[in-house]
Amino acid sequence: MTNQKTVSIVGASGYTGGEILRLVADHPHLQVGQIVSRTYAGQPVTRVHPHLRGVDMPSFVEPSALQACDVLVLAMPHGQAMREIEKYAGLAEYIVDLSADFRLRTPEAFQRWYGEAHSAPAWLEKFAYGLPESNREQIRQSKYVSGVGCNATATNLALLPLVRSGLLRAERPIIAEVKAGSSEGGATANPGTHHPVRANVVRSYAPVGHRHTAEIQQVLRLTDVHLSLTSLDIVRGALATAHAFVRPGTTEKDLWKAYRAVIKPEPFLRIVKEQHGLYRRPEPKLLAGTNFADISFDLDETTGRVVAVCAIDNLMKGAAGTAVQCMNLMLGYDETSGLGFRGIHPV
Amino acid sequence: MTNQKTVSIVGASGYTGGEILRLVADHPHLQVGQIVSRTYAGQPVTRVHPHLRGVDMPSFVEPSALQACDVLVLAMPHGQAMREIEKYAGLAEYIVDLSADFRLRTPEAFQRWYGEAHSAPAWLEKFAYGLPESNREQIRQSKYVSGVGCNATATNLALLPLVRSGLLRAERPIIAEVKAGSSEGGATANPGTHHPVRANVVRSYAPVGHRHTAEIQQVLRLTDVHLSLTSLDIVRGALATAHAFVRPGTTEKDLWKAYRAVIKPEPFLRIVKEQHGLYRRPEPKLLAGTNFADISFDLDETTGRVVAVCAIDNLMKGAAGTAVQCMNLMLGYDETSGLGFRGIHPV
Amino acid sequence: MTNQKTVSIVGASGYTGGEILRLVADHPHLQVGQIVSRTYAGQPVTRVHPHLRGVDMPSFVEPSALQACDVLVLAMPHGQAMREIEKYAGLAEYIVDLSADFRLRTPEAFQRWYGEAHSAPAWLEKFAYGLPESNREQIRQSKYVSGVGCNATATNLALLPLVRSGLLRAERPIIAEVKAGSSEGGATANPGTHHPVRANVVRSYAPVGHRHTAEIQQVLRLTDVHLSLTSLDIVRGALATAHAFVRPGTTEKDLWKAYRAVIKPEPFLRIVKEQHGLYRRPEPKLLAGTNFADISFDLDETTGRVVAVCAIDNLMKGAAGTAVQCMNLMLGYDETSGLGFRGIHPV
Amino acid sequence: MTNQKTVSIVGASGYTGGEILRLVADHPHLQVGQIVSRTYAGQPVTRVHPHLRGVDMPSFVEPSALQACDVLVLAMPHGQAMREIEKYAGLAEYIVDLSADFRLRTPEAFQRWYGEAHSAPAWLEKFAYGLPESNREQIRQSKYVSGVGCNATATNLALLPLVRSGLLRAERPIIAEVKAGSSEGGATANPGTHHPVRANVVRSYAPVGHRHTAEIQQVLRLTDVHLSLTSLDIVRGALATAHAFVRPGTTEKDLWKAYRAVIKPEPFLRIVKEQHGLYRRPEPKLLAGTNFADISFDLDETTGRVVAVCAIDNLMKGAAGTAVQCMNLMLGYDETSGLGFRGIHPV
């Protein structure tokens, strides 16, 4: 297909890189260009991405071999993209950076949460924050899009309807507890990811100070919102449980209205709130490999507490899937192109 | 051993009953009397409690066969013990009821949280709430002790030091998120516990309205405290993550002092808060089969949020272990008798 | 698309039925007709198949409402299809029966392994055994195809190259050990599938006498082949480990030749036998949701033992996937239509 | 207790070392002496053995600090003990070596299976192979005992009754398939043990050529016995499924007799073969932390195949537990001292 745009990926040996490759390979309007990894240069992609067995795809190449392409996806560790952004901008018209380098809108916020000065502050305003549900029009008009933090995304999507509806009770804090799998930690082994240690854990990780808090505060425009993370013995998936308080008198019906208003128009958001059946609220396992975010809400009428829950696949809606959704927006394709997989059950 | 007290168990086919049997069988001062189960009468206990293979123990008997004993443990579904308490009190000097029937101090609270009138309200004041860490002296002087809710216990132990120290900022809510395993749901199968459905879940269960909230409010004497539960693909174990706000100026050192004051004298509480090593915060898997509760706390100095975490084995410290600890107190034995198992690793 | 064939499913509430629905819904040449389930008639399919949320699909209907269609898939418990086959044959030109009723070629074999007389013996010869890798031409020319046993399929695909090559040492037995997940047991809960019981098991199930032995003997035309099953704490996936002995002097190179000859032409078979990388042999988790069968072989030159391993998704290549592959053959479509999903990683 | 023997451990940072420490700490006649680890010298044992929190125990020391003690346990990687055995023999009257260095009876066998010449061949005959069920009297009279391979032990215990009874059909091979958890691989992380990779696997590991084959052949005095290993997503536990053929005419009753004869006198072996209940055959999860080996057998009367299954905790009966059992025998204590834990359920 001569009209396909070429997507090259830098830092392609990580889990997000592997998912980008899978999605681009099956995308009707995109094709894989170069696959860059310093560590794995010269080796077949299947060495680290076994799900790509049988797919026609080039081997990893050295960073120095990178050539011009239509879309460049940067999937490097935090701090690298901002140092080389000028170089990459010379190679591709469109850039999606999956690191945290261009997620925050101000150098001050970056400094505060990432503990160093931003090395390319002028570029911050050129990047759109890549969450279509909160920022679609800006993404459509951008050449540069930043990826999203997975825990931030689950939390943001759970809470967006409450924020937009104005139902929140301002003086009360919002607490978001995200439960996540081991793929969030990336593809590099360390003593804490050794299977006998990591298996079966319910590990309080970053109970305070989690960096994704910054993205939540930025997207929701709230300050009194707090994030904790608990790591589970699953590989994929994140579930945000967000506790917020609504104004006295708020009813279940008000919440339905607020959630429907935000969720119904969105191609990848779904309300999962059922009286019957085996899965009555969002369940991350059902979303593995998909770009959906499933959302529920429960109201305690006595106390005004709302518990909003959002399940995602952290590597998809929380990273690679949303990135492809942004590419579709930037390039003018149907927003759902290449993102049709609906998941399997039982699983 | 002629001085051993005899413990009989009604409702002994459940998971808590099985653990009580294990603990009593190995207890230096207790011995198993009758093992009552309507469903399994006549069958060996190993039919449902395979960990008791090789232990010399009588078979299940019908409820009607129950005779006098020293200690009677009631492990029936909620609502049954209160209807028959007079009968049981005629059979044993000491009673430990593991249901929710005698946990709350007032019939009004019972009515509110359990949705029915209490059928033996006069007995409520005869029962001590069986959490030694909050109620030791009363337990020591009681003949009747109520068991504890597992999720309430993990939450109560996480927060007790904050409450006792007076560090809490009164006008802010406390949010407790408990993550728990499938054994909390009991030994009876239903479509939602079918393995292909229940495996791999991160299931928001009782996001609002959880009945254990009542025990938390009662023990901590707080009202603005809120509980949610998330079910995980583990069998045993519960981790409470409690988010509270402390008064401005509170330091990490203040928290150490508050937690040490409560935890150090307690034989089954431990602070697990380490800078190094593989397990830096409480981890339920390490506590399987033990009566320990491991507790940590983290302070976000910017916002004053404290995240207190408590891990327990829900069937032990959250049920059977604490029940035996209470028996030890009631009967005047060393409080740790029969509760010496320390767990295994890796696991 | 007016040329799409309509597929109706009887017994559609089971796991295989759910996968058939998923595959047909996304198939370029097929569309879902009626979805029959006595138990769930009138309810939406998402009540039991949550992965179909958002797919436009009719609700379950009563068996009595079944009308004519192009292809009828029967996914009922063993023993039902053979009793009503005349009725179903009157409703559809093409039938795929996923039960064991029409898998064996003789009424004697059925009687021996299923313990009852076959109620429609004349129909046995009308059905083709639906394993394309051993029976493609017959399937192509059939109107009636039987599904396959998942454990038999993993074993058959592991051993087919050894049988075809003539390398087997005739007087030595072949032992196949299949490890499988809980979805093999179907969608109905029982005390043994209760999560606290079923989790973490390594359960020897059907160590002798497993009925799939009959399909292995039939496909491979061997008698001295023996099957055992071990159930694991996974939901999907089966791994057959088949131990066979080859003639003295057989080399690794001979085995490569034998396996390549069978596997290379097959669209859904792959040799996975690598010196490097994270996944050097077949791994069922990588195949979840796909129709692939990954196969390896290892030779112990000292003893002549070959260990052939085959991984599949038991609900896909072991059931629904192969069924759709057979429909493609019967109806003259590209054999891989609707079966393009390649799986995800990490998982 | 002045009569306690002192046990020092070299290589104490591994999983087996951790279990030895747990068992010795609770043993009525033993006490922990020095805990040697080059890597962790100076650090508390809880850094790597969190289950020892709260146990009074010295920190790790350098190998050079090792002093005389009563019993020396060597838990080093294979190949080290044989190089330094003279030194260690000078420090302790009793030695238990958990590596493979002294398991095989001849230097030839060692050379064949471990690929190098044995560096202390004269010591091979001084060591007793430490499986009490096959070698109790020799262990009792030895000062030096070798540990056992966990996979070999599960297989040996499954098959010992068949061998002793003379029921085996000589010309047919025996195939043993052991399923094992990740703790078998030890405490050191590598890319293959990274949680997202290692989770959910059914990984054919060492399908041929597994070194434990040597121990099986030696203990059972058979040559036509073959071993394969499959790694599962569990941490502890091993299940051997051994397929053997018995002489024509052998009955279920003959097998009961053969298995009872071996198993009944043994304090840590149990037949688990039930018609009812939730766990009808051996299940490794029930044995976590215990020294039991549970064994079943099933006969296919048509083919004469017996499937013998044995479940153990690989770190206990497969390593540390059996080692303590041997110490009890060597030192003249009750064979079960310190090994009383019976496991928990549900788990």
Side-chain angles (χ1 to χ4, degrees), chain B residues 50 53, chain D residues 256 263 269-275 279-283 286-287 293-298 309:
Chain B
R53 280 174 180 148
Chain D
W256 270 107
I263 290 172
L269 304 193
R270 305 187 296 198
I271 297 179
V272 173
K273 181 173 164 60
E274 300 183 8
Q275 297 298 319
Y279 299 95
R280 303 184 186 185
R281 293 196 182 83
E283 186 58 71
L286 296 175
L287 304 181
D294 284 353
I295 296 166
S296 74
F297 53 89
D298 283 89
V309 167

Side-chain angles (χ1 to χ4, degrees), chain D residues 145-168:
Chain D
V145 166
S146 163
V148 293
C150 48
N151 303 308
T153 296
T155 305
N156 283 330
L157 295 175
L159 291 169
L160 210 52
L162 288 180
V163 171
R164 290 222 182 126
S165 65
L167 291 171
L168 285 172

Side-chain angles (χ1 to χ4, degrees), chain D residues 3-26:
Chain D
N3 285 329
Q4 286 188 316
K5 298 282 188 188
T6 298
V7 179
S8 292
I9 306 180
V10 181
S13 66
Y15 292 148
T16 306
E19 281 298 68
I20 293 276
L21 287 170
R22 172 174 76 89
L23 295 170
V24 169
D26 284 344

